[in-house]
Amino acid sequence: DYPSISESAWILESIARSLNSVVLERKMIQNEIVVAGQDKDHKDVLRVTEDRGEVIVVEEPPVLGYHSHGRMSGYAGEGRTADEDAKEEKLGSEHGDGDETEKKSKTKFCTEEGSYTRCELLIQRVETHLLDPSPLSLSSMSRGSSFGEGVDGAAAATDLANLSLKEKKEDERTAAAPRTAPHRKDPASPAAKNGKKAAYDPAHADDQPVSVEETLSSRNIRVAVVGNVDAGKSTLIGTLTTSFLDDGRGSARTSIMKHRHEIESGRTSTSSTHLLGFRQGGEAIAGRDKVRSNKMKSEDEIARASFRIVTLMDLAGHEKYLKTTIHGVSSGMADYGLILVNSRHPPTHMTQHHLNLCCSYGIPVVVVFTKVDGCPDHALATSKKELAKLLKSPDIGRRPFAIKTEADVATCAGKLQHLAPMIDISCVTGEGLPLLRKLLFGLPKRRRHEKKVNRPFEFLVEDVFSNVPGVGSVVSGFVNAGELDVGASQVYVGPTDDGTFLKTVAKSAHIARINTSHITAGQSATLAFSLNKEMRKKLRRGMVVMRDPPASTRQFDAEICVLKGEGTTIRESYQAYVHILNVRQTAFARNIEIVNNNALGLPPSHGAKHDAEGIVLRPGSRAKVRFEFAKRPEYIRPGMRMLFRDGRVRGVGIITGIPTIAAAGELFEYRNGRVDFEKSAAQLFMTLIVSRAFVVGREQDMMKYGN
């Protein structure tokens, strides 16, 4: 029937598009098969009709391909059939042929189930480099976009005879066209006058296509999901993204886990991201495929169909993987944090660590009590009471707010800096999941990365794939600032172990598994580089990709605050593991200066202490510290937030400056315009002594504190 054939044709067009081909023609044919009678079992006997005049042939525009009008069309065939019928009725009325019109109305094209239909597709291969790689949403594909124009040019380029004629016509049209505002942009609008993109207007949603690039940047909310090891983080993410309830034995979490040992043990050991899409009205997009119900939708399908996206970051909950969780929160650029608590057990010390971690980075939190099905009332009440004490503590300073209805969701929206919403859910029965989806959809965007587009391009590398077959070196990460056009200019990747940067070219880019030629601030993307075998070995996590030549450093100044804890004592030569966005490395405290706490209105207990060995920082102290990386130089800049730990989180801070290194000429002494070799030799000798003492001190520190 027509619905099945149309669905199959859509799948074939998608396959052709993946093979660098386009569909030029799409014909739907009906009335070829007629009922000739019935057999002995009283079943209809079908045969091919001999009267070709009764056969109906309708040409439909391809969904993903090129057609003569140069625009894209919708998926459903009912609108196109209406146009054909309107043309036939108009033609019949002009000629006064009432009988023919009545006959055509009786034998019009049928789009209902049970109508035998045959489809013919004309597929043509196109040049790969002429395809427009701009990502498109489903709304753009149904309303018209540059995708059709790009395929138009690619299809025409396969015919060399038409290529020169096409270029000649384009040149004539460009020369004759007046210099006016671009098409589809109102010259009177403020956005058009400023040369900016028009904002999305919900009142005219039918006329304004949704851009996938904007959805993945300005309408993308990043949420870090943390909690204890048995809280059900992966199960909740699997239930939200796949639209399937859990069976109580781990069926939901297995759909999102990456490694085999995670599936077998049920413990997440790595950080991963998963997309939860919403339509404009707030309806969550189902994670299952409508053609194959047992297949989950891919990231590109969710991104194309979504108006708003929530990126859920699944982090480890076991204490063994605490460093992985800290790095995920540090480099994840999270807007909000979901703190999951097992309702059947009181909050553990890991819950307190996760709360402190989110508050240290200024991330608002939402508390979710899981496994409420079958949980005794007294156990749930005890868990809420204990968690309320943690939220009200001076270190966190949040007021718990229970969410029971949709009105409560609207009440706490925009007040998460002071409130901590609490929701009871069950991934087995589905209790509380609609409220949680409503809350996630209503969360406002906290990090405005789109405001950093005018800054220099900065791409933070989070993972490295050294040798992808057919591609080469690929890195994945987050675009922290600026924008980049693929292949337009050279980029610098680094720093390497010796502090230098690799000069290369970005060959291709992907966002949400969609090929694109442009990436902008706020997007998670992957970049493919043109590197040789030796340069590929130098790639590592924690690097940065920039368009302008950057500089690496081994020392940096930071203003830190020591968190409250047991046995925290910081003095010179203190060794800790430092997290600065995507950078993580061991560092030493080389110099400590006390910050004037009286100017900040802090009590005397927050001051640093002096003893015989120098300045000692204790919990609550604030100071300016000069750190030095132990292994290799890194790229950091003032304004970045840092966190340091030695097993547990000990303090947080912000980078205030990068010290400058004295030039080599300053080591020489001059007299009457000439070098005084006697004093210069003494100066160089003292420099070597200081350097040797520095190396010996480094070795003693490593023997004392370990690697």
Side-chain angles (χ1 to χ4, degrees), residues 178-227:
R179 297 184 178 273
T180 57
H183 188 55
R184 294 183 184 175
K185 187 181 287 187
D186 186 8
S189 63
K193 292 179 180 179
N194 298 331
K196 297 181 180 179
K197 242 181 235 183
Y200 188 86
D201 186 6
H204 303 85
D206 295 335
D207 300 331
Q208 299 181 4
V210 179
S211 171
V212 178
E213 292 184 351
E214 294 181 3
T215 302
L216 292 172
S217 57
S218 60
R219 291 192 295 272
N220 184 9
I221 309 297
R222 301 175 67 87
V223 179
V225 183
V226 295

Side-chain angles (χ1 to χ4, degrees), residues 466-480:
S466 299
N467 192 11
V468 178
V471 180
S473 302
V474 177
V475 297
S476 64
F478 185 80
V479 185
N480 191 32

Side-chain angles (χ1 to χ4, degrees), residues 631-651:
K631 189 175 182 180
R632 66 174 74 91
E634 301 283 359
Y635 170 80
I636 55 177
R637 53 175 172 76
M640 289 184 173
R641 183 170 294 189
M642 64 167 292
L643 180 145
F644 59 93
R645 63 179 179 86
D646 53 0
R648 301 293 174 84
V649 178
R650 298 305 183 187

Side-chain angles (χ1 to χ4, degrees), residues 610-670:
H610 290 269
D611 60 5
E613 298 182 2
I615 301 176
V616 178
L617 301 180
R618 302 193 184 278
S621 303
R622 295 170 60 91
K624 292 182 179 179
V625 182
R626 173 164 294 184
F627 288 94
E628 181 177 357
F629 290 118
K631 189 175 182 180
R632 66 174 74 91
E634 301 283 359
Y635 170 80
I636 55 177
R637 53 175 172 76
M640 289 184 173
R641 183 170 294 189
M642 64 167 292
L643 180 145
F644 59 93
R645 63 179 179 86
D646 53 0
R648 301 293 174 84
V649 178
R650 298 305 183 187
V652 295
I654 187 169
I655 309 297
T656 58
I658 308 298
T660 57
I661 301 176
E666 298 181 4
L667 297 177
F668 295 93
E669 294 290 338
Y670 292 86

Side-chain angles (χ1 to χ4, degrees), residues 49 87 123 261 292 349 400 402 668:
T49 182
K87 292 179 181 179
I123 302 175
H261 70 271
R292 293 166 286 182
H349 66 287
F668 295 93

Side-chain angles (χ1 to χ4, degrees), residues 263-277:
I263 299 175
E264 294 175 352
S265 63
R267 293 180 179 177
T268 302
S269 60
T270 58
S271 59
S272 58
T273 59
H274 309 274
L275 300 185
L276 174 61

Side-chain angles (χ1 to χ4, degrees), residues 72-364:
M72 305 302 296
S73 64
Y75 171 72
E78 297 179 357
R80 295 187 292 271
T81 305
D83 295 339
E84 295 289 337
D85 295 340
K87 292 179 181 179
E88 292 176 358
E89 292 175 2
K90 182 178 180 181
L91 182 63
S93 62
E94 292 177 355
H95 294 280
D97 194 356
D99 297 337
E100 291 295 331
T101 305
E102 182 179 0
K103 182 178 179 181
K104 289 182 179 179
S105 63
K106 292 181 181 179
T107 61
K108 68 178 183 178
F109 193 80
C110 181
T111 60
E112 304 296 333
E113 295 183 358
S115 56
Y116 294 103
T117 308
R118 181 169 65 90
C119 178
E120 291 184 359
L121 299 177
L122 178 59
I123 302 175
Q124 181 176 356
R125 187 173 179 85
V126 297
E127 296 293 336
T128 308
H129 66 280
L130 293 175
L131 287 175
D132 185 6
S134 302
L136 292 175
S137 62
L138 293 182
S139 59
S140 301
M141 292 162 54
S142 62
R143 296 185 181 95
S145 64
S146 62
F147 179 77
E149 298 172 1
V151 175
D152 184 3
T158 57
D159 188 0
L160 298 179
N162 296 332
L163 182 59
S164 58
L165 181 61
K166 178 181 175 68
E167 293 178 352
K168 183 177 180 181
K169 291 182 178 180
E170 289 291 338
D171 296 338
E172 293 176 356
R173 188 183 299 112
T174 304
R179 297 184 178 273
T180 57
H183 188 55
R184 294 183 184 175
K185 187 181 287 187
D186 186 8
S189 63
K193 292 179 180 179
N194 298 331
K196 297 181 180 179
K197 242 181 235 183
Y200 188 86
D201 186 6
H204 303 85
D206 295 335
D207 300 331
Q208 299 181 4
V210 179
S211 171
V212 178
E213 292 184 351
E214 294 181 3
T215 302
L216 292 172
S217 57
S218 60
R219 291 192 295 272
N220 184 9
I221 309 297
R222 301 175 67 87
V223 179
V225 183
V226 295
N228 198 25
V229 66
D230 59 344
K233 300 178 293 299
S234 300
T235 300
L236 175 61
I237 295 176
T239 303
L240 292 175
T241 56
T242 62
S243 303
F244 285 113
L245 293 177
D246 188 43
D247 60 354
R249 295 184 297 273
S251 63
R253 68 170 180 251
T254 56
S255 61
I256 66 170
M257 286 185 169
K258 298 170 60 177
H259 304 289
R260 182 176 179 179
H261 70 271
E262 294 180 341
I263 299 175
E264 294 175 352
S265 63
R267 293 180 179 177
T268 302
S269 60
T270 58
S271 59
S272 58
T273 59
H274 309 274
L275 300 185
L276 174 61
F278 291 93
R279 294 185 175 87
Q280 187 178 356
E283 303 88 5
I285 296 178
R288 73 183 75 179
D289 190 88
K290 67 177 182 178
V291 179
R292 293 166 286 182
S293 59
N294 60 342
K295 177 182 177 296
M296 296 297 103
K297 286 185 177 179
S298 58
E299 290 184 355
D300 59 328
E301 294 175 321
I302 296 176
R304 293 183 191 276
S306 301
F307 170 78
R308 190 181 183 91
I309 288 179
V310 176
T311 301
L312 300 172
M313 295 181 288
D314 188 16
L315 303 176
H318 197 275
E319 188 175 5
K320 177 182 178 182
Y321 308 113
L322 179 60
K323 59 181 180 180
T324 303
T325 303
I326 294 175
H327 178 68
V329 175
S330 174
S331 62
M333 299 290 179
D335 294 285
Y336 300 93
L338 285 184
I339 307 294
L340 270 61
V341 180
N342 189 351
S343 60
R344 305 178 186 183
H345 302 285
T348 63
H349 66 287
M350 291 303 300
T351 305
Q352 184 176 4
H353 285 318
H354 293 152
L355 280 171
N356 293 333
L357 180 62
C358 291
C359 292
S360 299
Y361 281 98
I363 301 175

Side-chain angles (χ1 to χ4, degrees), residues 547-564:
R547 193 171 356 183
D548 301 327
S552 59
T553 182
R554 197 151 192 165
Q555 295 183 355
F556 61 93
D557 296 331
E559 185 173 339
I560 67 170
C561 177
V562 183
L563 301 179
K564 293 183 178 180

